[in-house]
Amino acid sequence: MTTPGFDVLVVSPIRPRQMDMLTAEFRLHRLDLSVAPENLLSEVGDRIGAIVTTGGVGADATLISALPNLRIIATSSVGVDKIDLTACRTRGIIVTNTPAVLTEDVADLGFGLLIATQRRLVEADAWVRSGDWSVQGAFPLTTSLAGLKVGILGFGAIGQAVARRCEAFRMEVANSSRSARDVPYRHVPDALALATWAEVLILCLPGGAGTRHLVGREVLDALGPDGTLINVARGSVVDEAALISALEEGRLKAAGLDVYETEPYPDPRLLKLRQVVLHPHHASGTVATRDAMAQLVVDNILAWRDTGRGLTEVVG
Ligand code: 8YV
């Protein structure tokens, strides 16, 4: 049964089972598959009540303006930096995301990048595969995890989940976030103070204009030549040119990156740096978590259809 006037525009698809669920309840229009998206929007734009999208695609002001009856944007992501929230607030459009269900996977991946950089796992793998082990002997000594000073910038659910992992590995944790939280971890006022204290700086804060290039040369130099940057937030948070210079000039020891300023085409200079562990913006990319995210998208749209409200509203 399709609900009249509540057509759904798929800007970026979610998991197949959840797409089937939406198809059973609504008339779907696939902007993601259209060879003439402008024509599709002209034809069905006034019928669209809901958008389905993902964090990497979002919904910009141009798209939103083409949909006069749009009432909800449901994204399969915790980040909403690719959605024009100002346009949504102006029009009273609900925006829902998928928090909580991805917290543990993203924290696992961020912590995995920490382990990989400190124990140089990718280089060690190459050491074995290349035959260097038999020619050059033992791999260089690396860095112990126990006792490591880890600064977590952004201390929401993901940052706190990373902190729990650090504690379990006997590391020392401090955090900095926009709002001080009642948590059993040392809080420092800003990114510069955190980087000055930390040996590893892990970015877990939201992307968007408010945090763009928050981590630049000054913060990276405060982290210093024995420091490591881990980013599971957004590429926009880091001045990537400053990061690359710091790594190339030895002013920063290492980096573990899940996100980039120019993804999916990271700066080619990053690809040449052996002290950088590269991951393709996939921290939530497991079957279980993406299924849970997709189900929450469906549940948000169904809740909006039936009650006029979403379940996990960012803007409402
Ligand atoms: C998304 C993410 O799945 O949740 C986020 O904000 O970055 C990922 O988990 C990704 O953006 C998919 O587009």
Side-chain angles (χ1 to χ4, degrees):
M1 186 264 297
T2 58
T3 306
F6 281 18
D7 288 12
V8 174
L9 185 70
V10 178
V11 174
S12 182
I14 53 180
R15 295 283 287 156
R17 183 163 171 269
Q18 283 70 29
M19 290 292 287
D20 292 344
M21 290 178 182
L22 290 172
T23 302
E25 297 289 333
F26 303 94
R27 184 180 297 107
L28 266 55
H29 304 277
R30 298 296 302 265
L31 189 68
D32 59 309
L33 301 178
S34 174
V35 294
E38 295 80 12
N39 295 351
L40 177 63
L41 291 175
S42 302
E43 183 187 337
V44 306
D46 59 355
R47 287 192 248 152
I48 303 299
I51 282 179
V52 169
T53 191
T54 56
V57 177
D60 65 16
T62 302
L63 174 62
I64 292 168
S65 65
L67 308 173
N69 296 308
L70 179 62
R71 305 300 315 129
I72 183 172
I73 298 173
T75 181
S76 178
S77 63
V78 67
V80 292
D81 52 298
K82 289 286 182 69
I83 297 172
D84 191 311
L85 298 183
T86 302
C88 292
R89 290 190 181 98
T90 303
R91 291 259 307 267
I93 296 168
I94 293 167
V95 177
T96 64
N97 67 343
T98 56
V101 293
L102 52 63
T103 297
E104 300 307 321
D105 271 7
V106 175
D108 287 345
L109 197 280
F111 195 71
L113 289 172
L114 185 158
I115 296 175
T117 52
Q118 301 313 297
R119 300 306 305 272
R120 300 174 64 182
L121 294 184
V122 175
E123 292 175 88
D125 176 281
W127 190 265
V128 179
R129 295 177 192 273
S130 67
D132 282 351
W133 189 10
S134 59
V135 172
Q136 298 189 50
F139 187 71
L141 298 182
T142 62
T143 303
S144 298
L145 301 182
L148 209 56
K149 295 196 291 183
V150 179
I152 300 173
L153 185 57
F155 214 57
I158 293 172
Q160 291 177 51
V162 171
R164 289 193 291 273
R165 286 152 177 80
C166 293
E167 273 192 311
F169 280 67
R170 303 176 304 285
M171 299 175 191
E172 194 180 345
V173 175
N175 78 91
S176 185
S177 59
R178 279 177 305 185
S179 49
R181 299 168 187 272
D182 181 19
V183 291
Y185 300 100
R186 177 180 175 200
H187 183 268
V188 298
D190 54 43
L192 184 58
L194 194 62
T196 303
W197 174 84
E199 294 168 282
V200 179
L201 182 64
I202 303 185
L203 308 184
C204 300
L205 67 168
T211 59
R212 184 177 183 279
H213 286 193
L214 186 65
V215 176
R217 168 142 191 174
E218 187 182 26
V219 171
L220 293 169
D221 281 348
L223 194 49
D226 296 324
T228 299
L229 179 73
I230 305 293
N231 192 358
V232 289
R234 283 290 188 269
S236 60
V237 174
V238 178
D239 177 342
E240 209 164 83
L243 172 63
I244 293 168
S245 299
L247 290 162
E248 289 176 339
E249 296 164 17
R251 289 184 284 107
L252 187 70
K253 180 175 84 172
L257 306 175
D258 183 45
V259 288
Y260 311 81
E261 283 204 280
T262 54
E263 56 189 72
Y265 309 99
D267 189 307
R269 292 173 294 174
L270 283 173
L271 312 186
K272 297 173 183 162
L273 297 173
R274 293 189 309 165
Q275 68 272 46
V276 179
V277 178
L278 302 167
H279 198 256
H281 195 160
H282 213 48
S284 67
T286 66
V287 172
T289 290
R290 288 295 171 88
D291 284 350
M293 292 163 70
Q295 188 58 49
L296 188 45
V297 168
V298 172
D299 293 346
N300 268 303
I301 293 177
L302 290 174
W304 158 73
R305 180 197 63 185
D306 299 339
T307 70
R309 305 306 311 178
L311 300 176
T312 53
E313 294 186 5
V314 172
V315 170

